[in-house]
Amino acid sequence: DQQVKQNSPSLSVQEGRISILNCDYTNSMFDYFLWYKKYPAEGPTFLISISSIKDKNEDGRFTVFLNKSAKHLSLHIVPSQPGDSAVYFCAASGNQGAQKLVFGQGTRLTINP
Amino acid sequence: DADVTQTPRNRITKTGKRIMLECSQTKGHDRMYWYRQDPGLGLRLIYYSFDVKDINKGEISDGYSVSRQAQAKFSLSLESAIPNQTALYFCATSDALARSYNEQFFGPGTRLTVL
């Protein structure tokens, strides 16, 4: 039972354009969401997060949108750069204090020059 | 220097062997986690520890055991390795007292192959 789903295994975007990565969740108890970025041969690194009390959080080129009614979040990268090519994982946490993350399957983003 | 280190980085072993993967951290965090990554499945939680005396099973703990030797060290053992335990294993840490307490910091991973 996959509680966090990233339905697109891969995404290819031209440099300078917008990249949109999507994530859906089923557990209404999730109240905090994170995006991680992973390069080959490295561990995932934190990118951006959002609490369920917000519907948008922005950090430079990265913006995360949360639609609680649809149980959907998305990560927007504008403008996309070659260094953004990586695997992106969506993760969710619920029951504040538990600090257990549930991860999606990941989406491989490729930025083409 | 890396804040979260894992040893070994790569390991090939045979079915039935006992294997230990080690994780050390210099971040001073109290919470530590072990995950495995499989293609198409993302990262799944194996075990987690909120302090030296607290060990909890995660989503997929069968076939694994852990030891929290100190606040900075958390080891994962496969008592009798089997081929479907071939995967990429990650250790992670978090700070319960940090404002961003949900954020976890990952080590570089151990690629384990069981033949």
Side-chain angles (χ1 to χ4, degrees):
Chain A
D1 179 23
Q2 191 84 21
Q3 297 185 71
V4 178
K5 297 181 181 180
Q6 295 175 253
N7 292 316
S8 298
S10 63
L11 177 67
S12 184
V13 175
Q14 192 172 3
E15 181 178 0
R17 305 294 291 268
I18 183 171
S19 295
I20 300 176
L21 295 91
N22 294 303
C23 178
D24 297 295
Y25 62 96
T26 58
N27 190 337
S28 58
M29 297 301 291
F30 289 146
D31 58 9
Y32 199 83
F33 303 89
L34 307 89
W35 284 94
Y36 279 81
K37 177 179 180 180
K38 184 184 179 305
Y39 291 120
E42 296 182 10
T45 55
F46 171 75
L47 189 58
I48 192 170
S49 62
I50 187 167
S51 166
S52 60
I53 62 173
K54 296 183 176 181
D55 55 17
K56 176 182 175 181
N57 188 29
E58 191 172 355
D59 183 2
R61 297 186 297 114
F62 303 91
T63 303
V64 56
F65 295 91
L66 176 62
N67 182 333
K68 289 186 291 293
S69 62
K71 294 188 176 68
H72 176 83
L73 63 156
S74 60
L75 174 68
H76 292 211
I77 306 173
V78 180
S80 299
Q81 299 175 353
D84 296 329
S85 294
V87 177
Y88 290 78
F89 290 100
C90 168
S93 175
N95 186 15
Q96 282 192 359
Q99 293 185 5
K100 291 196 299 179
L101 297 181
V102 180
F103 284 83
Q105 307 96 311
T107 296
R108 180 177 302 278
L109 175 66
T110 302
I111 306 301
N112 302 306
Chain B
D1 288 340
D3 293 325
V4 184
T5 58
Q6 293 183 233
T7 56
R9 292 295 311 276
N10 289 282
R11 182 71 183 269
I12 299 174
T13 190
K14 294 182 178 180
T15 297
K17 294 291 187 180
R18 184 177 187 275
I19 296 296
M20 179 180 286
L21 309 183
E22 298 186 351
C23 176
S24 294
Q25 53 116 345
T26 58
K27 300 184 76 67
H29 289 173
D30 52 341
R31 303 187 170 191
M32 298 186 74
Y33 310 79
W34 275 104
Y35 293 89
R36 66 178 277 176
Q37 182 191 355
D38 298 276
L41 294 178
L43 282 78
R44 293 181 293 166
L45 183 63
I46 306 172
Y47 270 96
Y48 60 102
S49 170
F50 285 175
D51 65 41
V52 174
K53 297 180 180 179
D54 178 80
I55 303 288
N56 303 279
K57 292 183 177 180
E59 181 186 356
I60 52 164
S61 60
D62 287 349
Y64 301 95
S65 62
V66 291
S67 173
R68 185 84 183 263
Q69 301 96 321
Q71 187 191 34
K73 296 184 182 294
F74 193 35
S75 300
L76 176 72
S77 293
L78 289 67
E79 297 301 326
S80 179
I82 56 176
N84 76 0
Q85 292 178 313
T86 293
L88 192 53
Y89 290 84
F90 289 103
C91 174
T93 72
S94 68
D95 181 358
L97 300 180
R99 181 180 177 188
S100 57
Y101 57 84
N102 277 290
E103 183 182 342
Q104 294 182 14
F105 298 81
F106 285 81
T110 294
R111 183 169 295 282
L112 177 66
T113 302
V114 183
L115 301 176

